Amino acid sequence: MKVFKFGGASVNSIDRIKQVANILGSYQQDDLLIVISAMGKTTNALEKVAESFYAGKKEEALLLFHQVKEQHLTTAKYLLVTRYLECEQTLTNFFTEVEWLLHDKPVRGFDYYYDQIVCAGELLSTAIVSAYLNETGISNTWIDVRDILRTDDNFRDANIDWSFSQQQVDRFVKPLFQKTRHLITQGFIGATDENESTTLGREGSDYTAAVFANLLNAESQTIWKDVAGVMNADPKKFPDAVLINDLNYSEVIEMAYYGAQVIHPKTIKPLQNKGIPLYVKCFLDPALPGTVIHNQPVNHLPPIIVIKENQALLQLKSKDFSFVGEKPVGQLYHLFEQLSVRPNLTQNGAISFTFCLDDHPEKIQQLALEASDIFDVTVEKGLKLLTIRHYEPGLLSTLIGENKVVIQQQTPDTVQVLMKQEN
Ligand code: ASP
Ligand code: MG
């Protein structure tokens, strides 16, 4: 049994959905649980629907939702012949659920409505892809993941109830492999014990796939992406970026921590707990080797480069020249938690505490304001943070180039340089 995951970019056009069928054609003999995301930018579009609805702009919300409907109906029309009517009925049922809600007035928190609306993206995409695969002879069973993955009601960042979900997988999912070898389900979403829909955090479909891999004791998980595999740098910024064939879980967690957009960080733990290897394969050219991520040590990694733009630097100095000790630092971390921000680099001095974080203007303003009770605060914006794992001195100075270094920190493994962006 293997788990596959296809992201939004793998199902964002007729041709790409056909490519999913091509890929699956080579796995007809395998039991597969296939997790699929919403098509292309659907989740962003549905977020806008939720925002309009919550702002009381019902007509705007309905209009925005109408566009999402049209896109899905058009895709289904182009793809399907014999199963079109049946699929249209399924899509219409999902549309109606959202529209009923949009006609109400919001009485609960935003995050609750967000989840009830945004979850439609994955329900719609999987319904279409499942119908198309069945029509082309890749017989599969569509599963509403909300019947299987139970979560708490921490909307927009819900936590899996592992033991209940395990029971559901054993009772309902495993027997389905007797019926069809391929099962299709949604990434990113789940449901509470009161049948409210929940979401697991943006880009959460990788995580869903890992949860299933764990619960099914899968032999492997494969994430199909529109890149060749995991690269040592973002190829859009570094044309010489190279593919890394072999990685281990801890390196991937480090990469994600420093901001590399490889794999959703929550994905690793469920796999690591059961020693399940994770493959990252190229969706457009499945013959390419891709990357395998496992538990063994890996030697000779190339330098791994991560750049985070738009960093804000906050410098806090104690007002009375007292040392910045545990107490004020503790208060600061409490503030970070309240505002859900995470510093990307911190430096503690005798009478100062300095850190940089992603530039979310409102949060920074609030942070600066609250910290000014105990500190003198200065804020500097427009910085970028370079992180290199397994660095070489030559590469470091090339990448710093003409930029002005504001802070540099290094360990034997990792160097981080906060610098002023070149104009
Ligand atoms: N559709 C969701 C998102 O765009 C989940 C995912 O793609 O993994 O965030
Ligand atoms: Mg996605």
Side-chain angles (χ1 to χ4, degrees), residues 179-211:
K179 206 173 124 208
T180 59
R181 295 214 121 161
H182 294 3
L183 310 180
I184 305 258
T185 199
Q186 304 79 41
F188 176 56
I189 70 178
T192 66
D193 56 358
E194 292 181 31
N195 281 326
E196 300 154 318
S197 301
T198 52
T199 64
L200 309 176
R202 285 302 308 264
E203 305 299 327
S205 297
D206 290 353
Y207 177 56
T208 301
V211 170

PDB file of all heavy atoms in Angstrom, residues 179-211:
ATOM      1  N   LYS A 179     -12.547  -3.399  -2.932  1.00  0.00           N
ATOM      2  CA  LYS A 179     -13.463  -2.975  -3.994  1.00  0.00           C
ATOM      3  C   LYS A 179     -12.691  -2.391  -5.178  1.00  0.00           C
ATOM      4  O   LYS A 179     -12.854  -2.807  -6.319  1.00  0.00           O
ATOM      5  CB  LYS A 179     -14.390  -1.911  -3.393  1.00  0.00           C
ATOM      6  CG  LYS A 179     -15.727  -1.786  -4.060  1.00  0.00           C
ATOM      7  CD  LYS A 179     -16.621  -0.831  -3.265  1.00  0.00           C
ATOM      8  CE  LYS A 179     -17.080   0.265  -4.188  1.00  0.00           C
ATOM      9  NZ  LYS A 179     -17.372   1.517  -3.509  1.00  0.00           N
ATOM     10  N   THR A 180     -11.834  -1.412  -4.901  1.00  0.00           N
ATOM     11  CA  THR A 180     -10.983  -0.838  -5.956  1.00  0.00           C
ATOM     12  C   THR A 180      -9.588  -0.675  -5.375  1.00  0.00           C
ATOM     13  O   THR A 180      -9.437  -0.415  -4.184  1.00  0.00           O
ATOM     14  CB  THR A 180     -11.466   0.559  -6.418  1.00  0.00           C
ATOM     15  OG1 THR A 180     -11.473   1.438  -5.292  1.00  0.00           O
ATOM     16  CG2 THR A 180     -12.840   0.524  -7.052  1.00  0.00           C
ATOM     17  N   ARG A 181      -8.602  -0.785  -6.232  1.00  0.00           N
ATOM     18  CA  ARG A 181      -7.216  -0.655  -5.740  1.00  0.00           C
ATOM     19  C   ARG A 181      -6.885   0.788  -5.400  1.00  0.00           C
ATOM     20  O   ARG A 181      -5.993   1.057  -4.613  1.00  0.00           O
ATOM     21  CB  ARG A 181      -6.252  -1.128  -6.834  1.00  0.00           C
ATOM     22  CG  ARG A 181      -6.409  -2.599  -7.112  1.00  0.00           C
ATOM     23  CD  ARG A 181      -5.085  -3.163  -7.469  1.00  0.00           C
ATOM     24  NE  ARG A 181      -4.805  -4.207  -6.516  1.00  0.00           N
ATOM     25  CZ  ARG A 181      -3.912  -5.163  -6.696  1.00  0.00           C
ATOM     26  NH1 ARG A 181      -3.197  -5.177  -7.783  1.00  0.00           N
ATOM     27  NH2 ARG A 181      -3.712  -6.080  -5.793  1.00  0.00           N
ATOM     28  N   HIS A 182      -7.574   1.729  -6.060  1.00  0.00           N
ATOM     29  CA  HIS A 182      -7.249   3.137  -5.837  1.00  0.00           C
ATOM     30  C   HIS A 182      -8.373   3.821  -5.062  1.00  0.00           C
ATOM     31  O   HIS A 182      -9.541   3.726  -5.443  1.00  0.00           O
ATOM     32  CB  HIS A 182      -7.051   3.862  -7.180  1.00  0.00           C
ATOM     33  CG  HIS A 182      -5.848   3.386  -7.949  1.00  0.00           C
ATOM     34  ND1 HIS A 182      -5.035   2.362  -7.524  1.00  0.00           N
ATOM     35  CD2 HIS A 182      -5.321   3.820  -9.124  1.00  0.00           C
ATOM     36  CE1 HIS A 182      -4.051   2.174  -8.403  1.00  0.00           C
ATOM     37  NE2 HIS A 182      -4.208   3.047  -9.387  1.00  0.00           N
ATOM     38  N   LEU A 183      -7.989   4.525  -4.002  1.00  0.00           N
ATOM     39  CA  LEU A 183      -8.949   5.325  -3.245  1.00  0.00           C
ATOM     40  C   LEU A 183      -8.536   6.779  -3.379  1.00  0.00           C
ATOM     41  O   LEU A 183      -7.352   7.104  -3.292  1.00  0.00           O
ATOM     42  CB  LEU A 183      -8.935   4.930  -1.759  1.00  0.00           C
ATOM     43  CG  LEU A 183      -9.046   3.434  -1.425  1.00  0.00           C
ATOM     44  CD1 LEU A 183      -9.027   3.238   0.092  1.00  0.00           C
ATOM     45  CD2 LEU A 183     -10.319   2.848  -2.021  1.00  0.00           C
ATOM     46  N   ILE A 184      -9.522   7.638  -3.586  1.00  0.00           N
ATOM     47  CA  ILE A 184      -9.224   9.067  -3.781  1.00  0.00           C
ATOM     48  C   ILE A 184      -9.825   9.865  -2.635  1.00  0.00           C
ATOM     49  O   ILE A 184     -11.014   9.706  -2.332  1.00  0.00           O
ATOM     50  CB  ILE A 184      -9.876   9.586  -5.079  1.00  0.00           C
ATOM     51  CG1 ILE A 184      -9.454   8.736  -6.266  1.00  0.00           C
ATOM     52  CG2 ILE A 184      -9.627  11.083  -5.268  1.00  0.00           C
ATOM     53  CD1 ILE A 184      -8.422   9.311  -7.140  1.00  0.00           C
ATOM     54  N   THR A 185      -9.021  10.720  -2.025  1.00  0.00           N
ATOM     55  CA  THR A 185      -9.583  11.554  -0.968  1.00  0.00           C
ATOM     56  C   THR A 185      -8.952  12.941  -0.927  1.00  0.00           C
ATOM     57  O   THR A 185      -8.041  13.227  -1.702  1.00  0.00           O
ATOM     58  CB  THR A 185      -9.522  10.823   0.389  1.00  0.00           C
ATOM     59  OG1 THR A 185     -10.455  11.443   1.276  1.00  0.00           O
ATOM     60  CG2 THR A 185      -8.123  10.869   1.004  1.00  0.00           C
ATOM     61  N   GLN A 186      -9.464  13.793  -0.022  1.00  0.00           N
ATOM     62  CA  GLN A 186      -9.064  15.205   0.016  1.00  0.00           C
ATOM     63  C   GLN A 186      -7.909  15.422   0.993  1.00  0.00           C
ATOM     64  O   GLN A 186      -7.917  14.860   2.087  1.00  0.00           O
ATOM     65  CB  GLN A 186     -10.233  16.094   0.492  1.00  0.00           C
ATOM     66  CG  GLN A 186     -11.507  15.968  -0.310  1.00  0.00           C
ATOM     67  CD  GLN A 186     -12.291  14.716   0.081  1.00  0.00           C
ATOM     68  OE1 GLN A 186     -12.381  14.384   1.240  1.00  0.00           O
ATOM     69  NE2 GLN A 186     -12.863  14.034  -0.903  1.00  0.00           N
ATOM     70  N   GLY A 187      -7.007  16.289   0.611  1.00  0.00           N
ATOM     71  CA  GLY A 187      -6.007  16.751   1.554  1.00  0.00           C
ATOM     72  C   GLY A 187      -6.569  17.910   2.346  1.00  0.00           C
ATOM     73  O   GLY A 187      -7.651  18.426   2.031  1.00  0.00           O
ATOM     74  N   PHE A 188      -5.865  18.299   3.426  1.00  0.00           N
ATOM     75  CA  PHE A 188      -6.064  19.618   4.059  1.00  0.00           C
ATOM     76  C   PHE A 188      -7.303  19.731   4.956  1.00  0.00           C
ATOM     77  O   PHE A 188      -7.394  20.637   5.749  1.00  0.00           O
ATOM     78  CB  PHE A 188      -6.084  20.661   2.927  1.00  0.00           C
ATOM     79  CG  PHE A 188      -6.363  22.083   3.260  1.00  0.00           C
ATOM     80  CD1 PHE A 188      -5.599  22.777   4.191  1.00  0.00           C
ATOM     81  CD2 PHE A 188      -7.375  22.779   2.595  1.00  0.00           C
ATOM     82  CE1 PHE A 188      -5.845  24.125   4.451  1.00  0.00           C
ATOM     83  CE2 PHE A 188      -7.631  24.117   2.846  1.00  0.00           C
ATOM     84  CZ  PHE A 188      -6.868  24.789   3.774  1.00  0.00           C
ATOM     85  N   ILE A 189      -8.272  18.804   4.824  1.00  0.00           N
ATOM     86  CA  ILE A 189      -9.509  19.017   5.586  1.00  0.00           C
ATOM     87  C   ILE A 189      -9.819  17.810   6.486  1.00  0.00           C
ATOM     88  O   ILE A 189      -9.289  16.723   6.308  1.00  0.00           O
ATOM     89  CB  ILE A 189     -10.715  19.347   4.667  1.00  0.00           C
ATOM     90  CG1 ILE A 189     -11.153  18.144   3.836  1.00  0.00           C
ATOM     91  CG2 ILE A 189     -10.377  20.504   3.754  1.00  0.00           C
ATOM     92  CD1 ILE A 189     -12.371  18.445   2.953  1.00  0.00           C
ATOM     93  N   GLY A 190     -10.676  18.051   7.450  1.00  0.00           N
ATOM     94  CA  GLY A 190     -11.120  17.006   8.361  1.00  0.00           C
ATOM     95  C   GLY A 190     -12.456  17.440   8.942  1.00  0.00           C
ATOM     96  O   GLY A 190     -13.108  18.345   8.397  1.00  0.00           O
ATOM     97  N   ALA A 191     -12.879  16.819  10.028  1.00  0.00           N
ATOM     98  CA  ALA A 191     -14.136  17.236  10.655  1.00  0.00           C
ATOM     99  C   ALA A 191     -14.099  16.954  12.148  1.00  0.00           C
ATOM    100  O   ALA A 191     -13.389  16.061  12.612  1.00  0.00           O
ATOM    101  CB  ALA A 191     -15.324  16.517  10.020  1.00  0.00           C
ATOM    102  N   THR A 192     -14.898  17.736  12.884  1.00  0.00           N
ATOM    103  CA  THR A 192     -14.984  17.559  14.340  1.00  0.00           C
ATOM    104  C   THR A 192     -16.014  16.475  14.666  1.00  0.00           C
ATOM    105  O   THR A 192     -16.714  15.989  13.775  1.00  0.00           O
ATOM    106  CB  THR A 192     -15.467  18.857  15.020  1.00  0.00           C
ATOM    107  OG1 THR A 192     -16.826  19.085  14.598  1.00  0.00           O
ATOM    108  CG2 THR A 192     -14.610  20.039  14.633  1.00  0.00           C
ATOM    109  N   ASP A 193     -16.143  16.163  15.943  1.00  0.00           N
ATOM    110  CA  ASP A 193     -17.146  15.159  16.336  1.00  0.00           C
ATOM    111  C   ASP A 193     -18.561  15.685  16.148  1.00  0.00           C
ATOM    112  O   ASP A 193     -19.521  14.952  16.280  1.00  0.00           O
ATOM    113  CB  ASP A 193     -16.904  14.693  17.783  1.00  0.00           C
ATOM    114  CG  ASP A 193     -16.892  15.836  18.765  1.00  0.00           C
ATOM    115  OD1 ASP A 193     -17.030  17.007  18.335  1.00  0.00           O
ATOM    116  OD2 ASP A 193     -16.736  15.578  19.972  1.00  0.00           O
ATOM    117  N   GLU A 194     -18.699  16.977  15.845  1.00  0.00           N
ATOM    118  CA  GLU A 194     -20.039  17.494  15.537  1.00  0.00           C
ATOM    119  C   GLU A 194     -20.228  17.694  14.041  1.00  0.00           C
ATOM    120  O   GLU A 194     -21.099  18.446  13.607  1.00  0.00           O
ATOM    121  CB  GLU A 194     -20.270  18.805  16.285  1.00  0.00           C
ATOM    122  CG  GLU A 194     -20.360  18.571  17.776  1.00  0.00           C
ATOM    123  CD  GLU A 194     -20.616  19.856  18.551  1.00  0.00           C
ATOM    124  OE1 GLU A 194     -21.267  20.768  18.013  1.00  0.00           O
ATOM    125  OE2 GLU A 194     -20.121  19.925  19.684  1.00  0.00           O
ATOM    126  N   ASN A 195     -19.375  17.041  13.282  1.00  0.00           N
ATOM    127  CA  ASN A 195     -19.454  17.121  11.812  1.00  0.00           C
ATOM    128  C   ASN A 195     -19.257  18.511  11.239  1.00  0.00           C
ATOM    129  O   ASN A 195     -19.768  18.832  10.164  1.00  0.00           O
ATOM    130  CB  ASN A 195     -20.790  16.573  11.295  1.00  0.00           C
ATOM    131  CG  ASN A 195     -20.758  15.077  11.275  1.00  0.00           C
ATOM    132  OD1 ASN A 195     -19.699  14.471  11.030  1.00  0.00           O
ATOM    133  ND2 ASN A 195     -21.889  14.452  11.559  1.00  0.00           N
ATOM    134  N   GLU A 196     -18.547  19.352  11.963  1.00  0.00           N
ATOM    135  CA  GLU A 196     -18.164  20.640  11.386  1.00  0.00           C
ATOM    136  C   GLU A 196     -16.884  20.394  10.597  1.00  0.00           C
ATOM    137  O   GLU A 196     -15.996  19.666  11.059  1.00  0.00           O
ATOM    138  CB  GLU A 196     -17.869  21.659  12.489  1.00  0.00           C
ATOM    139  CG  GLU A 196     -19.037  21.918  13.389  1.00  0.00           C
ATOM    140  CD  GLU A 196     -18.590  22.381  14.786  1.00  0.00           C
ATOM    141  OE1 GLU A 196     -17.617  21.821  15.326  1.00  0.00           O
ATOM    142  OE2 GLU A 196     -19.221  23.290  15.305  1.00  0.00           O
ATOM    143  N   SER A 197     -16.778  21.022   9.429  1.00  0.00           N
ATOM    144  CA  SER A 197     -15.549  20.855   8.647  1.00  0.00           C
ATOM    145  C   SER A 197     -14.424  21.643   9.303  1.00  0.00           C
ATOM    146  O   SER A 197     -14.652  22.693   9.905  1.00  0.00           O
ATOM    147  CB  SER A 197     -15.736  21.366   7.225  1.00  0.00           C
ATOM    148  OG  SER A 197     -16.785  20.653   6.612  1.00  0.00           O
ATOM    149  N   THR A 198     -13.204  21.129   9.172  1.00  0.00           N
ATOM    150  CA  THR A 198     -12.037  21.843   9.698  1.00  0.00           C
ATOM    151  C   THR A 198     -10.947  21.829   8.626  1.00  0.00           C
ATOM    152  O   THR A 198     -11.016  21.032   7.686  1.00  0.00           O
ATOM    153  CB  THR A 198     -11.477  21.150  10.956  1.00  0.00           C
ATOM    154  OG1 THR A 198     -11.261  19.770  10.671  1.00  0.00           O
ATOM    155  CG2 THR A 198     -12.425  21.280  12.134  1.00  0.00           C
ATOM    156  N   THR A 199      -9.955  22.711   8.775  1.00  0.00           N
ATOM    157  CA  THR A 199      -8.774  22.626   7.898  1.00  0.00           C
ATOM    158  C   THR A 199      -7.524  22.550   8.767  1.00  0.00           C
ATOM    159  O   THR A 199      -7.538  22.927   9.944  1.00  0.00           O
ATOM    160  CB  THR A 199      -8.667  23.819   6.916  1.00  0.00           C
ATOM    161  OG1 THR A 199      -8.477  25.029   7.645  1.00  0.00           O
ATOM    162  CG2 THR A 199      -9.909  23.936   6.042  1.00  0.00           C
ATOM    163  N   LEU A 200      -6.458  22.035   8.160  1.00  0.00           N
ATOM    164  CA  LEU A 200      -5.256  21.693   8.939  1.00  0.00           C
ATOM    165  C   LEU A 200      -4.137  22.709   8.790  1.00  0.00           C
ATOM    166  O   LEU A 200      -3.011  22.443   9.193  1.00  0.00           O
ATOM    167  CB  LEU A 200      -4.735  20.325   8.487  1.00  0.00           C
ATOM    168  CG  LEU A 200      -5.759  19.184   8.452  1.00  0.00           C
ATOM    169  CD1 LEU A 200      -5.123  17.919   7.897  1.00  0.00           C
ATOM    170  CD2 LEU A 200      -6.307  18.920   9.855  1.00  0.00           C
ATOM    171  N   GLY A 201      -4.431  23.878   8.203  1.00  0.00           N
ATOM    172  CA  GLY A 201      -3.375  24.873   7.959  1.00  0.00           C
ATOM    173  C   GLY A 201      -3.007  24.855   6.484  1.00  0.00           C
ATOM    174  O   GLY A 201      -2.966  23.788   5.871  1.00  0.00           O
ATOM    175  N   ARG A 202      -2.712  26.034   5.939  1.00  0.00           N
ATOM    176  CA  ARG A 202      -2.430  26.154   4.504  1.00  0.00           C
ATOM    177  C   ARG A 202      -1.324  25.189   4.081  1.00  0.00           C
ATOM    178  O   ARG A 202      -0.409  24.924   4.843  1.00  0.00           O
ATOM    179  CB  ARG A 202      -2.019  27.600   4.151  1.00  0.00           C
ATOM    180  CG  ARG A 202      -3.148  28.616   4.128  1.00  0.00           C
ATOM    181  CD  ARG A 202      -4.277  28.298   3.170  1.00  0.00           C
ATOM    182  NE  ARG A 202      -3.900  28.021   1.798  1.00  0.00           N
ATOM    183  CZ  ARG A 202      -3.899  28.918   0.814  1.00  0.00           C
ATOM    184  NH1 ARG A 202      -4.249  30.159   1.062  1.00  0.00           N
ATOM    185  NH2 ARG A 202      -3.566  28.564  -0.404  1.00  0.00           N
ATOM    186  N   GLU A 203      -1.455  24.698   2.895  1.00  0.00           N
ATOM    187  CA  GLU A 203      -0.506  23.720   2.322  1.00  0.00           C
ATOM    188  C   GLU A 203      -0.519  22.404   3.090  1.00  0.00           C
ATOM    189  O   GLU A 203       0.448  21.666   3.095  1.00  0.00           O
ATOM    190  CB  GLU A 203       0.928  24.289   2.287  1.00  0.00           C
ATOM    191  CG  GLU A 203       1.069  25.618   1.555  1.00  0.00           C
ATOM    192  CD  GLU A 203       0.681  25.526   0.089  1.00  0.00           C
ATOM    193  OE1 GLU A 203       0.900  24.463  -0.520  1.00  0.00           O
ATOM    194  OE2 GLU A 203       0.135  26.509  -0.430  1.00  0.00           O
ATOM    195  N   GLY A 204      -1.663  22.120   3.736  1.00  0.00           N
ATOM    196  CA  GLY A 204      -1.718  20.974   4.637  1.00  0.00           C
ATOM    197  C   GLY A 204      -1.912  19.612   3.980  1.00  0.00           C
ATOM    198  O   GLY A 204      -1.959  18.599   4.682  1.00  0.00           O
ATOM    199  N   SER A 205      -2.019  19.566   2.663  1.00  0.00           N
ATOM    200  CA  SER A 205      -2.296  18.263   2.033  1.00  0.00           C
ATOM    201  C   SER A 205      -1.147  17.270   2.156  1.00  0.00           C
ATOM    202  O   SER A 205      -1.380  16.056   2.243  1.00  0.00           O
ATOM    203  CB  SER A 205      -2.631  18.437   0.555  1.00  0.00           C
ATOM    204  OG  SER A 205      -3.793  19.184   0.421  1.00  0.00           O
ATOM    205  N   ASP A 206       0.087  17.777   2.165  1.00  0.00           N
ATOM    206  CA  ASP A 206       1.233  16.879   2.378  1.00  0.00           C
ATOM    207  C   ASP A 206       1.059  16.168   3.716  1.00  0.00           C
ATOM    208  O   ASP A 206       1.340  14.981   3.861  1.00  0.00           O
ATOM    209  CB  ASP A 206       2.558  17.663   2.483  1.00  0.00           C
ATOM    210  CG  ASP A 206       3.000  18.271   1.164  1.00  0.00           C
ATOM    211  OD1 ASP A 206       2.372  17.993   0.136  1.00  0.00           O
ATOM    212  OD2 ASP A 206       3.987  19.039   1.180  1.00  0.00           O
ATOM    213  N   TYR A 207       0.593  16.961   4.681  1.00  0.00           N
ATOM    214  CA  TYR A 207       0.408  16.431   6.031  1.00  0.00           C
ATOM    215  C   TYR A 207      -0.695  15.367   6.049  1.00  0.00           C
ATOM    216  O   TYR A 207      -0.526  14.304   6.640  1.00  0.00           O
ATOM    217  CB  TYR A 207       0.100  17.589   6.985  1.00  0.00           C
ATOM    218  CG  TYR A 207      -0.186  17.164   8.404  1.00  0.00           C
ATOM    219  CD1 TYR A 207       0.728  16.403   9.122  1.00  0.00           C
ATOM    220  CD2 TYR A 207      -1.372  17.530   9.032  1.00  0.00           C
ATOM    221  CE1 TYR A 207       0.466  16.014  10.435  1.00  0.00           C
ATOM    222  CE2 TYR A 207      -1.639  17.149  10.344  1.00  0.00           C
ATOM    223  CZ  TYR A 207      -0.717  16.385  11.037  1.00  0.00           C
ATOM    224  OH  TYR A 207      -0.989  16.009  12.335  1.00  0.00           O
ATOM    225  N   THR A 208      -1.812  15.662   5.376  1.00  0.00           N
ATOM    226  CA  THR A 208      -2.888  14.659   5.302  1.00  0.00           C
ATOM    227  C   THR A 208      -2.349  13.337   4.769  1.00  0.00           C
ATOM    228  O   THR A 208      -2.650  12.260   5.302  1.00  0.00           O
ATOM    229  CB  THR A 208      -4.015  15.135   4.355  1.00  0.00           C
ATOM    230  OG1 THR A 208      -4.523  16.363   4.830  1.00  0.00           O
ATOM    231  CG2 THR A 208      -5.134  14.109   4.261  1.00  0.00           C
ATOM    232  N   ALA A 209      -1.549  13.426   3.711  1.00  0.00           N
ATOM    233  CA  ALA A 209      -1.009  12.209   3.108  1.00  0.00           C
ATOM    234  C   ALA A 209      -0.148  11.466   4.126  1.00  0.00           C
ATOM    235  O   ALA A 209      -0.215  10.234   4.230  1.00  0.00           O
ATOM    236  CB  ALA A 209      -0.210  12.557   1.855  1.00  0.00           C
ATOM    237  N   ALA A 210       0.624  12.209   4.912  1.00  0.00           N
ATOM    238  CA  ALA A 210       1.478  11.571   5.917  1.00  0.00           C
ATOM    239  C   ALA A 210       0.651  10.937   7.027  1.00  0.00           C
ATOM    240  O   ALA A 210       0.993   9.872   7.541  1.00  0.00           O
ATOM    241  CB  ALA A 210       2.451  12.598   6.501  1.00  0.00           C
ATOM    242  N   VAL A 211      -0.453  11.585   7.394  1.00  0.00           N
ATOM    243  CA  VAL A 211      -1.337  11.014   8.417  1.00  0.00           C
ATOM    244  C   VAL A 211      -1.878   9.674   7.914  1.00  0.00           C
ATOM    245  O   VAL A 211      -1.851   8.665   8.632  1.00  0.00           O
ATOM    246  CB  VAL A 211      -2.494  11.991   8.748  1.00  0.00           C
ATOM    247  CG1 VAL A 211      -3.544  11.317   9.629  1.00  0.00           C
ATOM    248  CG2 VAL A 211      -1.958  13.255   9.418  1.00  0.00           C
TER     249      VAL A 211
END
